[in-house]
Amino acid sequence: EVDWFSLASILFLLMFAPLIVYYFIMSCDQYQCSLTDPLLDLLTGKKHLSDIWNRTPMVTYKAAAIYSLWVTFQVFLYLSIPDFCHKFLPGYVGGVQEGAVTPAGVVNKYEINGLQAWIITHVLWFANAYCFHFFSPTIIFDNWIPLLWCANILGYAVSTFAMIKGYFFPTNAKDCKFTGNFFYDYMMGIEFNPRIGKWFDFKLFFNGRPGIVAWTLINLSFAAKQQELYGEVTNSMILVNVLQGIYVLDYFWNEAWYLKTIDICHDHFGWYLGWGDCVWLPYLYTLQGLYLVYHPVQLRTDYAMGVLMLGLLGYYIFRTTNHQKDLFRRTNGNCRIWGKKPEYIECSYMSVDGTKYYSKLMTSGFWGWARHFNYTGDLMGSLAYCLACGFEHVLPYFYIIYMTILLTHRCIRDEHRCSSKYGKDWKCYTAVVPYRLLPGVF
């Protein structure tokens, strides 16, 4: 059943999330990234909504062509070129990999080739920028708002298609979830792993491509625009490109590990992931770079080094924490964490088909400090992106505010599932590891 609070939250997001994205992008385009000036203009009657809307660039044939080619190219890389990176990159896991067991007991196979797609895409980008000059490196920034409408069209189209598919031709009917509430089903999804054919998995493709591959290209385009406008690229822009580039590369290097995360293992595919990956991610996760085009910030060397150290420390905690859990799972606890044999709690659970499974929850290493300490590292990195932009405007700090809300909510969602899944074993685990994110605090 869908409780009233969940339904109210979903209706709020469906109505206002697209407006939030538009407001942020419009504020940069028309108000130099001020979030208060548009509201003041409207409240004082200086401008009307129609005035702001009429100044907003609409979708163009050029933007539609760019976006269509982009998505088509990423589909081609995803489906047509089997991964070859795992053959020559030590430690990289690519190629065909198995996902986690679904609630219906299904184990899906995936072609892991995101790193390869990222490399090919960026090699072509730099080849064009320095050799071929088919298009300007500022092409993304120059068409930023028209591309927003194209991204919205794809986001709504794929979300609607996923819902129709869940009703009429699901990939696996036993892994569908119907609440009877149209808005909830549209938002959170019906199918667990919607697919077309054997290999095109909606979740894996839209979570990683085209949004995350584009993330670093978008930042590079912003840096190119800064160079074009001011004759230099500031150290703050370089920091944002480097720190977010590390995050993106980490995602693709560990794409096989991503198959075990909450997005793939628990979330169904609906508007939340479909529209979110097409619009919310590429447009709001890149606000720092966009802001720095309008407000170039040259940081003091000591401050810039502090931001860099915070970002790298956050990344170290994020990656090390995830690596500890991955190592623990792969070896079934027969490994060493911080030089010691890991401690854990034995758990059991049952799938919907009645099969009993056994699991172990680690209580040592970073996982003994907090139940989601990887999120703590993620938040430290997110804060570093924002601090690179200085303190003149609130807009670039939206990311850390959003990530704090998102990851805290994800903690609660994950723990609600674990409590239902493991029962009394989960209570034993939380007694041993009492904190969620910050040891001694929360």
Side-chain angles (χ1 to χ4, degrees):
E1 294 182 2
V2 181
D3 60 87
W4 68 268
F5 180 77
S6 296
L7 181 58
S9 301
I10 282 166
L11 291 174
F12 176 84
L13 288 172
L14 286 171
M15 288 188 292
F16 292 105
L19 294 177
I20 290 170
V21 176
Y22 169 74
Y23 189 83
F24 274 84
I25 304 307
M26 176 276 299
S27 296
C28 285
D29 183 57
Q30 299 185 29
Y31 289 90
Q32 291 293 303
C33 298
S34 171
L35 294 178
T36 55
D37 286 353
L39 290 175
L40 289 174
D41 277 0
L42 292 173
L43 291 174
T44 58
K46 186 177 179 181
K47 286 189 179 179
H48 297 90
L49 284 173
S50 59
D51 299 323
I52 294 175
W53 181 252
N54 290 335
R55 290 181 59 194
T56 301
M58 293 293 102
V59 66
T60 62
Y61 287 113
K62 182 179 180 181
I66 292 169
Y67 198 77
S68 298
L69 285 171
W70 168 251
V71 175
T72 301
F73 182 57
Q74 292 306 313
V75 171
F76 171 76
L77 293 179
Y78 179 64
L79 290 177
S80 302
I81 308 179
D83 181 72
F84 54 78
C85 288
H86 69 281
K87 296 181 179 180
F88 62 87
L89 289 176
Y92 172 68
V93 178
V96 178
Q97 300 293 326
E98 289 187 347
V101 180
T102 73
V106 176
V107 178
N108 290 307
K109 291 186 177 182
Y110 299 83
E111 176 68 46
I112 300 299
N113 59 4
L115 180 64
Q116 173 179 281
W118 187 90
I119 292 172
I120 292 173
T121 301
H122 284 71
V123 166
L124 292 175
W125 174 272
F126 283 107
N128 171 76
Y130 290 101
C131 300
F132 303 120
H133 308 294
F134 293 136
F135 56 85
S136 169
T138 64
I139 189 172
I140 299 175
F141 177 87
D142 295 337
N143 295 275
W144 194 225
I145 296 181
L147 288 170
L148 171 62
W149 308 130
C150 298
N152 268 282
I153 291 169
L154 178 62
Y156 277 97
V158 73
S159 304
T160 304
F161 175 78
M163 186 172 190
I164 294 171
K165 182 178 181 300
Y167 274 102
F168 297 105
F169 47 101
T171 303
N172 190 319
K174 292 183 178 179
D175 269 326
C176 290
K177 179 180 68 176
F178 299 93
T179 66
N181 185 289
F182 172 83
F183 296 106
Y184 187 93
D185 288 348
Y186 184 72
M187 172 81 166
M188 301 308 297
I190 293 172
E191 273 202 87
F192 193 64
N193 290 111
R195 290 187 163 205
I196 294 178
K198 183 179 180 181
W199 293 110
F200 189 83
D201 184 89
F202 279 63
K203 252 201 245 180
L204 186 63
F205 178 78
F206 284 100
N207 270 314
R209 280 77 59 78
I212 297 184
V213 174
W215 190 344
T216 39
L217 290 185
I218 293 166
N219 281 338
L220 288 170
S221 185
F222 292 160
K225 193 65 181 182
Q226 199 182 67
Q227 175 70 39
E228 179 186 284
L229 292 174
Y230 311 107
E232 66 171 351
V233 178
T234 62
N235 58 3
S236 55
M237 180 68 85
I238 294 172
L239 269 176
V240 168
N241 270 264
V242 169
L243 291 176
Q244 294 188 350
I246 291 172
Y247 186 89
V248 170
L249 269 175
D250 176 88
Y251 170 86
F252 287 118
W253 184 270
N254 297 283
E255 191 176 18
W257 161 83
Y258 183 73
L259 299 179
K260 305 297 193 294
T261 62
I262 190 171
D263 287 344
I264 299 293
C265 293
H266 299 293
D267 289 340
H268 290 239
F269 187 86
W271 187 87
Y272 174 75
L273 290 178
W275 179 88
D277 290 328
C278 290
V279 181
W280 188 272
L281 187 156
Y283 274 85
L284 294 190
Y285 285 23
T286 58
L287 280 177
Q288 290 76 34
L290 181 65
Y291 170 83
L292 291 171
V293 174
Y294 293 94
H295 296 275
V297 177
Q298 189 67 30
L299 303 171
R300 295 195 327 264
T301 302
D302 57 341
Y303 181 86
M305 291 302 296
V307 171
L308 178 62
M309 291 301 103
L310 174 64
L312 294 178
L313 177 61
Y315 171 72
Y316 170 78
I317 292 173
F318 171 77
R319 176 45 42 217
T320 303
T321 307
N322 285 326
H323 172 71
Q324 287 179 355
K325 182 165 72 171
D326 186 53
L327 178 64
F328 179 80
R329 281 177 171 174
R330 284 189 289 107
T331 62
N332 196 32
N334 297 314
C335 59
R336 302 189 77 78
I337 304 294
W338 290 349
K340 301 177 182 178
K341 188 174 180 180
E343 299 173 5
Y344 56 86
I345 290 176
E346 295 269 7
C347 301
S348 62
Y349 64 95
M350 296 184 71
S351 64
V352 292
D353 63 0
T355 305
K356 190 171 186 178
Y357 294 92
Y358 295 91
S359 184
K360 297 174 180 178
L361 298 177
M362 184 166 56
T363 58
S364 57
F366 278 133
W367 294 97
W369 290 19
R371 301 196 291 270
H372 304 275
F373 203 64
N374 54 332
Y375 291 170
T376 306
D378 205 353
L379 290 173
M380 291 171 66
S382 301
L383 179 61
Y385 309 158
C386 303
L387 291 173
C389 298
F391 301 98
E392 289 188 11
H393 284 269
V394 175
L395 182 138
Y397 286 84
F398 170 81
Y399 188 72
I400 182 60
I401 296 170
Y402 164 72
M403 289 299 288
T404 301
I405 296 171
L406 173 73
L407 294 181
T408 302
H409 179 247
R410 185 166 285 197
C411 285
I412 295 169
R413 279 200 304 144
D414 186 43
E415 296 195 0
H416 176 73
R417 285 195 191 95
C418 289
S419 178
S420 300
K421 179 178 177 180
Y422 295 119
K424 60 182 177 59
D425 292 336
W426 180 252
K427 292 182 179 179
C428 295
Y429 171 68
T430 55
V432 177
V433 187
Y435 297 103
R436 284 177 170 143
L437 283 172
L438 294 175
V441 180
F442 173 71

